[in-house]
Amino acid sequence: MANGMSLMKAAGKLKFCFINMATCMILLRNKCLLIPAMLFILFLNVSAGIQPAQELQQWQQKYPGNALVSVSKQLQVTIDLVNNVPQTTLDDYREMIVLKDNTSFLADSKEYFNNHYDLKKLEAYSLVPENNQYKKVTVSKFTKSVEMDTTVFFDDQYVYAYTYPAVGKGTKLVTRSVATTNYAYIPVVFDFGGPMPAENMMLTISLPPEVQIIFRLFGNDTSIVHYSKSIRDNRI
């Protein structure tokens, strides 16, 4: 696992970034190739091991007036060199909890992917409170398409539209996707925050020592980002 603080000192050069509160875009450099990568951030999970009603009450007390809270957001980025060509895998997990009634409008959702990525897995489901535990209700249909406005056709990405089932107060909305690419020129962007309250964010990378990370981190409050680094089995 690699952490942003140590790698930023080693890289010596910062690359492209844009921000919504606190965001990073990172590029890797292996010889003359630029490859996407990520940072690492970790917060404690305050909801682990409690019943649905208690968890709902905790989030309602912490964020009164909010209809939706991001409970967990985790992105694992794995970079491998295959015949000296970088192959990047993104394993993305997101979990939100609904805090109010009359929130069926939150059911419709979309996932966007760059057309250079090969989507290996896409899963979405609701965790519905039932008998002091959560019942998993999966999304059964995903509709793939491209989007366009009145003037622009977005041919570099595709979108999957779907609807979370059984959305109501206390329901958790979960999405997980796994995608890979060997295209070396797609930066990866991670938002550490946004309009919706968010906690428990973990952003990690796993890579061989031959790959160097170059990144830029900025936003309204970058002090919330904490780092760690370890080396295991000849990987950072």
Side-chain angles (χ1 to χ4, degrees):
M1 303 297 232
N3 90 343
M5 185 67 72
S6 299
L7 292 172
M8 181 166 58
K9 292 178 180 177
K13 185 177 181 181
L14 302 179
K15 289 274 184 178
F16 318 100
C17 185
F18 62 89
I19 184 70
N20 183 4
M21 291 192 66
T23 302
C24 71
M25 180 185 291
I26 307 163
L27 299 177
L28 303 179
R29 185 182 299 275
N30 176 41
K31 295 185 178 178
C32 60
L33 296 177
L34 294 177
I35 309 102
M38 302 307 296
L39 282 180
F40 173 84
I41 180 169
L42 172 65
F43 293 101
L44 296 178
N45 190 337
V46 299
S47 62
I50 64 176
Q51 294 183 349
Q54 294 174 307
E55 182 174 0
L56 173 63
Q57 185 178 35
Q58 280 191 3
W59 291 113
Q60 287 175 325
Q61 290 176 348
K62 193 166 187 179
Y63 298 105
N66 287 276
L68 192 66
V69 170
S70 177
V71 174
S72 180
K73 180 180 178 182
Q74 303 178 33
L75 181 61
Q76 171 71 52
V77 179
T78 303
I79 298 138
D80 296 294
L81 290 177
V82 180
N83 296 323
N84 206 37
V85 175
Q87 177 176 289
T88 304
T89 299
L90 306 182
D91 189 338
D92 183 49
Y93 175 88
R94 281 168 287 128
E95 178 181 320
M96 301 176 291
I97 187 169
V98 180
L99 304 185
K100 292 185 176 182
D101 289 315
N102 303 316
T103 48
S104 59
F105 65 93
L106 297 173
D108 292 335
S109 190
K110 293 180 179 180
E111 297 297 319
Y112 293 86
F113 299 92
N114 186 281
N115 63 355
H116 288 287
Y117 277 95
D118 181 15
L119 183 63
K120 301 296 185 181
K121 177 177 181 178
L122 178 58
E123 180 185 23
Y125 54 90
S126 298
L127 295 175
V128 183
E130 184 177 286
N131 298 325
N132 294 323
Q133 60 185 0
Y134 287 107
K135 176 183 177 182
K136 183 178 179 179
V137 185
T138 60
V139 171
S140 59
K141 181 181 179 181
F142 295 89
T143 302
K144 182 180 179 180
S145 64
V146 294
E147 290 191 342
M148 61 182 301
D149 60 24
T150 56
T151 58
V152 179
F153 170 66
F154 300 96
D155 62 349
D156 61 343
Q157 68 178 13
Y158 54 95
V159 57
Y160 284 89
Y162 58 96
T163 301
Y164 288 107
V167 175
K169 185 166 66 176
T171 299
K172 288 186 174 184
L173 311 179
V174 181
T175 304
R176 186 189 175 198
S177 64
V178 179
T180 64
T181 185
N182 57 9
Y183 186 70
Y185 302 96
I186 310 172
V188 178
V189 179
F190 188 88
D191 289 328
F192 293 123
M196 176 174 60
E199 295 193 18
N200 307 312
M201 293 178 285
M202 180 182 291
L203 180 54
T204 66
I205 57 172
S206 174
L207 69 162
E210 297 88 349
V211 178
Q212 180 187 9
I213 298 175
I214 302 173
F215 72 89
R216 177 72 182 270
L217 169 68
F218 61 89
N220 292 342
D221 182 11
T222 58
S223 66
I224 65 173
V225 182
H226 303 282
Y227 308 90
S228 68
K229 178 181 178 179
S230 64
I231 299 175
R232 183 173 55 192
D233 299 328
N234 199 33
R235 292 184 66 87
I236 299 174

